[in-house]
Amino acid sequence: MALEDLFKKLVSHCKEYGYVFPSSEIYDGLSAVYDYGQYGVELKNNIRKYWWDSMVLLNRNIVGIDAAIFMHPTTWKASGHVDAFNDPLIDNRDSKKRYRADTLIEEHIEKIEEKVQKEIDKARAKFGDAFDEAKFRSTNQRVLSLQSKIDEIHARYSRAMKENNLAELRQIIIDNEIVCPISGTRNWTEVRQFNLMFSTEMGSTADGAIKVYLRPETAQGIFVNFLNVQKSGRMKVPFGIAQVGKAFRNEIVARQFLFRMREFEQMEMQYFVTPGTELEWYEYWKEKRMKWHLALGFGKENYRFHDHEKLAHYANAACDIEYKFPFGFKEVEGIHSRTDFDLKQHQIYSGKKMQYFDPDKNESYIPYVIETSIGLDRMFLHIISAAYHEEEIEKEDGTKDMRVVLRLPSCLAPVKLAVLPLIRKDGLPEIAEKIVEDLKFDFNCQYDDKDSIGRRYRRQDAIGTPYCITVDHQTLEDQTVTIRYRDSMEQERVPVAGLREIIAEKVSIRSLLKQL
Ligand code: GAP
């Protein structure tokens, strides 16, 4: 199936099965804003817990906070967001659509890269095992010419971004004959900077109202509380502060479902270190965070690091962890060595010292910071797109059937087990209900007695329930039930009395955390 089709199916699956709905849908929705449904919220809570526990529970020197969304407006002047949190935008005069100039260029480069890949795939199919990709890349004329085009655009683009040269960004679009995907024309406006922060007014009287921003990142709530936490918790550098919370950005190109939203949640951790040791800690956190992703079991080959080419003025190293989404490798998490920029800026703008007294060195300094920053919604999209599978299966009568299954890691699945009486009589429903009543304190359980057992299994597969417990006539005789495994569809008989222990072992987040 084409990856685009797969993505469309995933979006409608999320809606049909109560994972994600468009916001205020009865009014035709609100662009790039989404609501989580009854299963979506459970999955999101579980991802959040996996992240939180991996930071706060497993590390004695990392603590959590929950700062307010509204912050004093000077915060955003100090952080640089008022002056520099911009995207370069360009409009097409014919379609009246607005685009990010950098995205148009990056997508153009990706299209050429796809052409290169097509040539490689064709040659691989032709030559089989004897195919040598490196040699092919360095000798095939078409690939060489496409690659030199990529290199040329890339060099111009990097320079323009570094120098903030908006005229040159436009010129690259013109020179490469990049057209508007809607109108198909090259009738472009100038490129302008567009600030991504949402603002509103706080206060009741017109005179007294002040302009405040909806935070575009959670990190600043951590920086301004750095000394509060350090002093009240008697923390010693190196130490970290973790936070999960909403962030808001007026994205110009908001699309690809949960990938780029206007209201989203971030999970950020700022790790305060002694100046001069930051690059060691940067490497440490890169490795730690990659391990966190790999423990989910979606395959090492689907992740990669991508070093930032254009470092923000305050960073001395930065990279992304990218996951292979249905629409290509894209960022899920950023790891940034932010130097002492933020604390220093807050010290200047607030006039309050943001220094730490180091008892070992007997001196005060502003710590350097390593930041790990991951989008909760983007991680949700990553997990659900990795988990979504369509499979052909054989029914009991030998005919073929299709099933959609969410192969979610058991510990993240919204519903851990469904208890199903084989038929709705002979006392089976009562036993099933009793099992649910007994296990509901430990796990998110469902009871279902409608439709055939096959259809009920399909429904549970579609929401990703890892275990289905079936109560049948044998249960009446020997107090055993069958447990059906979602991924293999195999079944085994187990005693009712052993269910809690068997399931607990399989669905605990502990099994993930132990791998870190
Ligand atoms: N404090 C650093 C910071 O905010 P960022 O790279 O702008 O860095 C970090 O954002 C992460 O937040 C990204 O890797 C992504 O997972 C998530 N994120 C950023 N913008 C987003 C958006 N519009 N929608 C969903 N997630 C977003």
Side-chain angles (χ1 to χ4, degrees):
M1 193 191 325
L3 289 176
E4 261 177 38
D5 294 340
L6 176 76
F7 195 61
K8 274 190 199 143
K9 284 191 172 186
L10 179 71
V11 176
S12 56
H13 186 85
C14 281
K15 179 160 175 242
E16 189 182 343
Y17 284 92
Y19 269 89
V20 183
F21 308 124
S23 158
S24 28
E25 196 188 6
I26 56 166
Y27 297 105
D28 295 333
L30 184 64
S31 168
V33 186
Y34 291 93
D35 297 340
Y36 288 86
Q38 63 275 32
Y39 298 124
V41 68
E42 297 287 345
L43 174 58
K44 202 173 168 201
N45 285 344
N46 293 340
I47 300 170
R48 191 190 285 112
K49 181 166 169 51
Y50 174 39
W51 183 87
W52 186 266
D53 286 357
S54 75
M55 290 292 178
V56 175
L57 207 66
L58 296 195
N59 296 285
R60 271 186 275 170
N61 65 345
I62 298 182
V63 293
I65 62 164
D66 182 16
I69 288 171
F70 288 131
M71 300 183 69
H72 191 285
T74 310
T75 309
W76 305 109
K77 194 76 194 145
S79 67
H81 284 82
V82 171
D83 297 320
F85 194 52
N86 300 322
D87 275 343
L89 70 83
I90 188 165
D91 293 294
N92 182 270
R93 292 194 183 95
D94 299 321
S95 66
K96 312 264 182 285
K97 287 279 171 200
R98 181 162 286 177
Y99 300 91
R100 269 175 65 170
D102 53 341
T103 309
L104 281 178
I105 298 169
E106 279 169 15
E107 284 178 352
H108 183 69
I109 294 175
E110 272 169 27
K111 275 191 197 139
I112 310 178
E113 277 167 352
E114 277 166 23
K115 285 186 188 162
V116 171
Q117 194 55 47
K118 260 194 192 146
E119 294 295 328
I120 291 171
D121 292 345
K122 255 194 328 201
R124 179 171 285 118
K126 190 168 159 197
F127 297 113
D129 286 346
F131 180 64
D132 179 344
E133 184 177 326
K135 191 165 169 205
F136 183 76
R137 276 182 181 273
S138 62
T139 53
N140 181 278
Q141 280 314 311
R142 177 151 167 78
V143 169
L144 283 173
S145 113
L146 288 169
Q147 190 57 50
S148 99
K149 186 87 204 141
I150 293 172
D151 295 343
E152 179 204 318
I153 304 173
H154 200 266
R156 275 181 78 183
Y157 167 59
S158 293
R159 207 173 323 116
M161 289 296 281
K162 258 184 207 135
E163 293 167 359
N164 207 8
N165 186 342
L166 302 183
E168 170 67 354
L169 282 179
R170 180 173 190 273
Q171 201 53 48
I172 297 172
I173 291 172
I174 303 288
D175 292 350
N176 285 282
E177 304 184 344
I178 298 175
V179 296
C180 163
I182 308 286
S183 66
T185 71
R186 285 180 246 147
N187 195 2
W188 295 113
T189 61
E190 297 304 308
V191 176
R192 281 169 296 140
Q193 292 289 22
F194 175 79
N195 193 286
L196 300 183
M197 282 198 295
F198 286 101
S199 65
T200 186
E201 306 233 310
M202 183 179 268
S204 51
T205 61
D207 293 346
I210 55 165
K211 183 175 176 180
V212 289
Y213 298 96
L214 298 189
R215 64 181 177 198
E217 62 170 13
T218 58
Q220 298 304 324
I222 295 180
F223 289 125
V224 299
N225 278 299
F226 153 71
L227 276 184
N228 283 338
V229 174
Q230 190 271 319
K231 289 192 171 139
S232 59
R234 300 198 294 147
M235 310 296 287
K236 270 187 81 178
V237 164
F239 73 92
I241 305 178
Q243 176 169 221
V244 181
K246 289 269 185 178
F248 304 83
R249 294 182 189 179
N250 196 2
E251 299 282 0
I252 303 166
V253 187
R255 56 181 179 164
Q256 277 155 340
F257 196 31
L258 307 178
F259 188 81
R260 204 172 291 289
M261 300 159 82
R262 295 204 163 102
E263 173 180 339
F264 58 100
E265 232 169 300
Q266 286 187 316
M267 307 190 284
E268 299 200 295
M269 194 278 298
Q270 312 291 326
Y271 201 69
F272 300 91
V273 305
T274 312
T277 63
E278 72 277 10
L279 292 180
E280 281 162 49
W281 285 113
Y282 171 70
E283 291 303 327
Y284 172 87
W285 281 107
K286 268 176 77 173
E287 195 195 319
K288 272 269 211 203
R289 293 305 303 147
M290 186 57 106
K291 254 191 178 170
W292 185 88
H293 287 277
L294 295 180
L296 291 169
F298 292 121
K300 203 170 178 213
E301 66 287 359
N302 292 318
Y303 298 87
R304 69 181 186 195
F305 284 113
H306 171 79
D307 288 327
H308 285 198
E309 275 177 38
K310 185 195 170 201
L311 284 180
H313 57 285
Y314 51 79
N316 62 3
C319 70
D320 299 330
I321 292 179
E322 295 187 337
Y323 171 72
K324 196 173 177 191
F325 285 93
F327 41 85
F329 270 104
K330 295 275 181 257
E331 168 187 352
V332 262
E333 169 156 12
I335 298 155
H336 314 127
S337 174
R338 292 180 76 127
T339 67
D340 58 355
F341 173 81
D342 301 87
L343 291 179
K344 215 180 206 169
Q345 285 293 99
H346 288 306
Q347 176 165 295
I348 294 169
Y349 277 79
S350 68
K352 311 267 163 39
K353 283 239 176 303
M354 297 299 275
Q355 293 187 346
Y356 163 75
F357 176 75
D358 189 327
D360 298 333
K361 289 176 173 270
N362 200 24
E363 65 181 40
S364 293
Y365 54 80
I366 298 180
Y368 272 40
V369 172
I370 305 299
E371 164 182 78
T372 72
S373 174
I374 176 168
L376 176 51
D377 313 81
R378 203 174 278 185
M379 193 60 204
F380 180 110
L381 178 62
H382 154 14
I383 288 178
I384 205 143
S385 56
Y388 182 92
H389 286 86
E390 291 181 6
E391 293 173 356
E392 194 179 66
I393 53 164
E394 198 167 312
K395 290 204 284 196
E396 270 175 19
D397 62 6
T399 58
K400 302 273 185 219
D401 197 6
M402 283 297 291
R403 74 161 181 162
V404 173
V405 54
L406 291 185
R407 291 176 181 270
L408 295 167
S410 301
C411 53
L412 300 185
V415 178
K416 305 299 188 210
L417 72 152
V419 187
L420 320 170
L422 189 60
I423 52 170
R424 246 193 287 181
K425 53 183 185 184
D426 302 339
L428 304 188
E430 288 75 9
I431 299 177
E433 297 255 24
K434 190 171 172 303
I435 294 175
V436 171
E437 284 306 301
D438 189 33
L439 296 182
K440 73 178 183 190
F441 299 98
D442 302 282
F443 317 111
N444 190 329
C445 307
Q446 267 194 3
Y447 171 89
D448 188 7
D449 62 8
K450 288 176 202 73
D451 299 323
S452 71
I453 193 78
R455 291 185 113 189
R456 282 181 271 166
Y457 285 154
R458 280 309 87 76
R459 270 203 296 270
Q460 295 299 331
D461 288 344
I463 61 167
T465 307
Y467 309 106
C468 284
I469 309 299
T470 307
V471 177
D472 55 18
H473 289 94
Q474 193 177 327
T475 313
L476 298 170
E477 288 161 25
D478 62 6
Q479 287 79 50
T480 63
V481 286
T482 60
I483 176 164
R484 172 202 183 257
Y485 298 99
R486 177 195 66 201
D487 297 346
S488 65
M489 293 189 289
E490 275 166 14
Q491 303 194 17
E492 65 177 320
R493 262 208 113 77
V494 296
V496 173
L499 275 176
R500 179 177 291 109
E501 205 177 326
I502 296 168
I503 307 277
E505 162 76 21
K506 296 180 195 298
V507 302
S508 151
I509 280 193
R510 187 187 151 89
S511 59
L512 279 185
L513 295 175
K514 284 197 98 171
Q515 295 177 54
L516 305 181

